Amino acid sequence: DRDVTGVQTCALPICSHFQDINANETKSLIFNKILEKYDKNIRPSGINGSGPVEISINLFVRSIENIDDVRMEYKVMLSFRQEWIDPRLRYSKLADNINFLQLIVAAKIWSPDLFFSNEKQGELHKLMVPNLFTRIYPDGRVTQSYRISLLLSCPMNLKSYPLDEQLCPMRMASYGWTLDDIVLRWRRKDPVQMAREFNMARFSLKKHETVLCESITTTGTFGCLLLHLTFAREFGFYMIQIYIPCSMLVIVSWVSFFLEPTAVEARVRSQ
C-alpha cells in the first residue's frame, strides 16, 4: 500500500508499529515475533510443505597444506556454507525494509547436523570472535557460514611414486537425519570455490569434482556429498631435492676409477 505522498506503507497493525521505531528495535521485535512459538527441535517442513528439507552446500577452499603421504592425510581450511528454507522464520509481512536478520546465537533455531566423515581433527576458528554467522532472509531462507580447519584422511596409492596423482576425498553427511528428513545438494552455481593460489611444495591441485552419494548404515540411509580433490606430485621438487644431489654423489664417487694406480694420495682423498 502507498499513502498520498507515494511512500510505501504496510496494512498490518504490527507493521504500523514497526514504522515508528528505529531499525534495531524493529529487528528485535521481529526476532521476538518469529521465535515466540518456534520449536528448534522440529525440522522445517520442506519446500512444498511436506517431505524432506533440502540443504544446499557451498565450500570456499581457502588453503590446502600438509599433504602427508606417510600418514596419508591432508589439511584444509575452508568456509563452509549451508542454506535451507524454514517457513516458520518468514517475516516478509512484518517488515519490507530489512534485507536480512543476523542471528548471533545459532542454537536458537533448527540447524542441519552435517559432519565430515573422513575427518581426523577439526576446529572452528575463534580469533578474534567465533568465525560464523547465521542470516535469516524475509522469505524464510537461512544461510550459515563457518570458517573451519580440518585434518582429513586420504588413502593413497604410491605405485607410481614420484610420478603419481592422488585422489583425496572430502565427505560430508548428515549424522542423525535420514533421507526422509534431509536431502543434501551442492549449490547449483559454483558449489566449490577455490582460492587463487595454494603454496604446496610437493603437490599441485590438478582438478576438483563434486559428487552426490548416499551413506548406508544399519540405522538408515543418509544424504552424502563428496568432493574429490586430485593432487599431482611436483616432480621438479624431487628432481632438485633428491635426483640431482644423488646423481652428483654417484658421479663424484666414480672419479677414483679414472685416477692412475700410482696416485695413492689422490685416490685416498677422492674416497
Side-chain angles (χ1 to χ4, degrees), residues 63 65 75-79 119 121-125 146-152:
S63 67
E65 55 188 25
K75 188 175 183 180
V76 59
M77 183 176 70
L78 52 86
S79 292
E119 172 218 342
Q121 185 178 350
E123 64 171 333
L124 171 68
H125 292 265
Y146 304 84
R147 189 168 76 95
I148 56 180
S149 288
L150 300 169
L151 184 64
L152 303 171

Side-chain angles (χ1 to χ4, degrees), residues 1 9-17 92-95:
D1 299 333
T9 60
C10 181
L12 297 178
I14 191 172
C15 296
S16 60
H17 174 61
S92 56
K93 294 182 179 180
L94 301 180

Side-chain angles (χ1 to χ4, degrees), residues 59 61 63-78 116 118-122 149-156 166-172 194 198 200 202-203 205 208-209 226-231:
L59 302 178
V61 181
S63 67
I64 301 174
E65 55 188 25
N66 294 341
I67 302 176
D68 192 336
D69 48 13
V70 176
R71 293 187 175 90
M72 294 193 178
E73 62 188 21
Y74 71 104
K75 188 175 183 180
V76 59
M77 183 176 70
L78 52 86
F116 293 84
N118 63 322
E119 172 218 342
K120 290 185 175 181
Q121 185 178 350
S149 288
L150 300 169
L151 184 64
L152 303 171
S153 63
C154 176
M156 297 184 182
Q166 301 298 337
L167 185 65
C168 292
M170 183 186 300
R171 187 179 295 106
M172 294 157 280
M194 294 287 179
F198 297 121
M200 296 181 288
R202 295 182 298 158
F203 290 89
L205 180 62
H208 65 274
E209 181 184 8
L226 185 60
L227 172 62
H228 284 306
L229 299 172
T230 302
F231 297 106

